[in-house]
Amino acid sequence: MTNTDATKYYVFYDGECGFCNFWVHWILKRDNKNQFLFAALQGEFGQRFLSERNLELTDLDTLYLWKPDEYYLRKSHAVFKISEVLGGIYQFISVLRFLPTAITDFLYDRVAENRKKLATQACEIPTPEERKKFIG
C-alpha cells in the first residue's frame, strides 16, 4: 500500500458499528503520542488492506492492527498490542496475550457477534484535529 506512514499503527474496524466506533474514539482520546490512524474496513483503504492480504473482504467482525513493513495482528492480539502501545495503565491488558489464542479469540468472537446489540449506531463526532487520523 502506498502513502502509508511506517511509524504509525493502523486500526481497521467496522465503520458501521456503533460499538466499534465507541472503541475507536476511546483509543483516539488516549493516543497521547499520536501513534494511531484509523480506517473503516468498508472504505477503499480498508478494502485494499484486506485484498492485498487475501483476507475476506466482507468479514467485518475482525479488528486489525497494522504496522506497515512489519506485521498485522487481528482480533484479541490486535487489542493486546493496542493496549501495549497506549501504555500506562492500559498496557496491563496486554499481559493477557500469553493466554492461548484459542481462548482469547473465542472471547473476542463472542463480543464481536453481539457488538451491534451492545451500542447504538450513534457515533461521536471527531474534532477537526481528530479527523486527520481517519483514512478514507
Side-chain angles (χ1 to χ4, degrees), residues 1-71:
M1 295 177 76
T2 59
N3 298 327
T4 57
D5 183 343
T7 67
K8 302 288 186 186
Y9 295 89
Y10 291 77
V11 177
F12 294 91
Y13 65 99
D14 180 354
E16 296 177 0
C17 169
F19 184 76
C20 304
N21 278 287
F22 169 84
W23 286 107
V24 164
H25 285 278
W26 186 91
I27 296 166
L28 187 63
K29 298 292 185 200
R30 288 153 182 82
D31 182 19
N32 299 326
K33 297 178 185 173
N34 192 28
Q35 299 178 90
F36 293 96
L37 296 172
F38 305 90
L41 288 166
Q42 296 92 331
E44 181 182 330
F45 191 73
Q47 288 290 290
R48 192 169 54 231
F49 169 82
L50 295 171
S51 178
E52 289 178 1
R53 287 156 188 80
N54 295 315
L55 298 167
E56 179 59 48
L57 299 178
T58 58
D59 177 17
L60 306 178
D61 292 345
T62 301
L63 170 75
Y64 294 94
L65 179 68
W66 178 47
K67 181 75 167 167
D69 302 325
E70 292 187 35
Y71 59 83

Side-chain angles (χ1 to χ4, degrees), residues 65-120:
L65 179 68
W66 178 47
K67 181 75 167 167
D69 302 325
E70 292 187 35
Y71 59 83
Y72 74 88
L73 302 170
R74 55 193 294 269
K75 297 186 178 187
S76 63
H77 284 270
V79 172
F80 300 148
K81 186 65 175 181
I82 290 167
S83 67
E84 179 185 315
V85 173
L86 285 174
I89 62 170
Y90 309 110
Q91 69 187 5
F92 291 109
I93 296 167
S94 69
V95 172
L96 297 174
R97 74 174 169 249
F98 297 109
L99 293 173
T101 300
I103 293 171
T104 59
D105 277 354
F106 174 81
L107 296 172
Y108 177 94
D109 288 339
R110 299 299 73 76
V111 172
E113 287 172 3
N114 294 291
R115 71 190 190 281
K116 293 190 179 175
K117 298 175 192 170
L118 297 172
T120 66

